[in-house]
Amino acid sequence: MTQWKSKYTGSNEQIVSGLNPSNNVNGIGSNHALGLNKAEGNSLSLSEQNVMAEETEVLSSWMNPDVNTSNNSLVSTTLQAKGSRVNGFDCDAPKVLVVDDHPASRLTAVALLAMEGYEVIEADSGYTAIELVTQKQPDLILLDVMMAGMDGFQVCQLLKQDEHTRLIPVIFITALNDKRSRIQGIEVGADDFLTKPFDRLELAARVKSLVRQKRLNEDLDHAEKVLFSIARAIESRDPNTGDHCERLVTLGEAFAEFLNLSRNQIRNLMWGGYLHDIGKVGIPDVVLLKRGKLTPEEWDIMKKHVLMGEKICQPLRSMRGVIPIIRHHHERWDGSGYPDGLKEDEIPYLAQVFQMIDIYDALTSERPYKRAFSEEEALSVMAEETAKGWRNPKLMLQFTEFILSSKQ
């Protein structure tokens, strides 16, 4: 049977142990029975008699908005499922934060989710929800739209604007056919919608799907961060380049906006600023950090960094738009570049754009073998290279216009 453990600390907080919270509830309503004795995938240690008795006892008031419970002041309740594999997820049970200022509605969602094996956290206001998200880091938030003080739209917008919480899926709880709320919810970043009263199977399916998607997104996010960390480590191997990557990201974003590139193209160009030389992780220091001129053999080794970089980033689908920059940022308009000797528009456009900012930054930065050129001197050198056939003439004119306009 369910056991209650009081952990009163002055904040009206209690912990519930077990999968069935029905002992502390006056009823749910037999029309919306939780089906404890029919729940799939739940291993309850209750006898059939106990289940029937508890169903009779608790099935009349959870769906009644006027129900009075002893937990009206409850702010944060946790129901922890037992076992190492819950609802198809390994290890710890996924955490779901239920946010609703109406105790009866909140308790309904809590009970349904607890039966599915989730660890459930409760919040009775938007302000409490924001605090608990920071403290508990839930895997999903079930969020009521209409709340006093801070409503669901404000809560969702704050969470989606924060880099640390933007990946947490938010399911809005709305009234039936509330089209306006759904539209506004989409605008602030909601991931899904549910209507009252809850359908247990629909709730379980949507929560499970979004929690799984969130964990996949986190894995992808972590993988991307590892790549960026490697790129920064590579840059730190050569102290002479300074903050080359950071400058490329800033300059690339500005030039991309000047060219009216799409949002995805801008992102790919900025990521290219960090990752274009990631393949240098495989280049020996004796070659990478050599101060004198490279021998033909050493130059052949150096050229391989674009292929190594492509291989490192290839497994991630999110890097598909960045890989052409990594592989082809040393190609030349006349076909004399590497690794593939591509000519003119055979060279991916973003690689051409990236070349401009990469060369310009190298020219205007101080290196052991050269002083930092002025803007005019750098543009003059790049114009000479364009005349030799190394750069896209049209793009060179646009880049010159961009640099000169940015001075004004």
XYZ file of all heavy atoms in Angstrom, residues 116 160 168 248 263 275 383 387:
63
model
N 2.281 5.756 -14.687
C 3.104 5.390 -15.834
C 4.581 5.247 -15.453
O 5.409 4.903 -16.292
C 2.975 6.448 -16.934
C 1.609 6.534 -17.560
C 1.235 5.274 -18.328
O 2.154 4.635 -18.889
O 0.044 4.915 -18.349
N 12.023 28.919 -22.919
C 12.519 28.700 -24.279
C 13.582 29.726 -24.682
O 14.347 29.490 -25.616
C 11.356 28.735 -25.276
C 10.371 27.584 -25.121
C 11.040 26.236 -25.330
C 10.030 25.089 -25.246
N 10.668 23.770 -25.467
N 13.879 21.592 -22.858
C 12.850 20.890 -22.084
C 11.509 21.033 -22.806
O 11.024 22.155 -23.002
C 12.737 21.476 -20.667
C 14.085 21.393 -19.939
C 11.660 20.743 -19.879
C 14.092 22.050 -18.568
N 36.134 35.087 -36.559
C 35.472 34.560 -37.758
C 33.967 34.425 -37.550
O 33.180 34.678 -38.460
C 36.062 33.199 -38.143
C 37.493 33.191 -38.691
C 37.903 31.778 -39.061
C 37.617 34.104 -39.905
N 18.626 31.967 -42.324
C 18.996 31.706 -40.928
C 19.907 30.483 -40.823
O 20.901 30.499 -40.088
C 17.729 31.489 -40.096
C 17.964 31.190 -38.628
C 16.643 31.079 -37.879
N 16.842 30.673 -36.490
C 16.931 29.415 -36.090
N 16.839 28.435 -36.976
N 17.102 29.124 -34.805
N 34.725 25.467 -36.564
C 35.059 24.083 -36.907
C 35.882 23.915 -38.182
O 36.256 22.790 -38.514
C 33.771 23.263 -37.035
C 32.882 23.223 -35.790
C 31.548 22.542 -36.097
C 33.587 22.506 -34.643
N 42.274 41.656 -53.568
C 41.945 42.037 -54.941
C 42.988 41.487 -55.913
O 42.650 41.036 -57.022
C 41.861 43.558 -55.049
N 42.415 38.871 -58.979
C 42.896 39.091 -60.350
C 43.683 37.887 -60.863
O 43.691 37.603 -62.075
C 43.754 40.352 -60.396
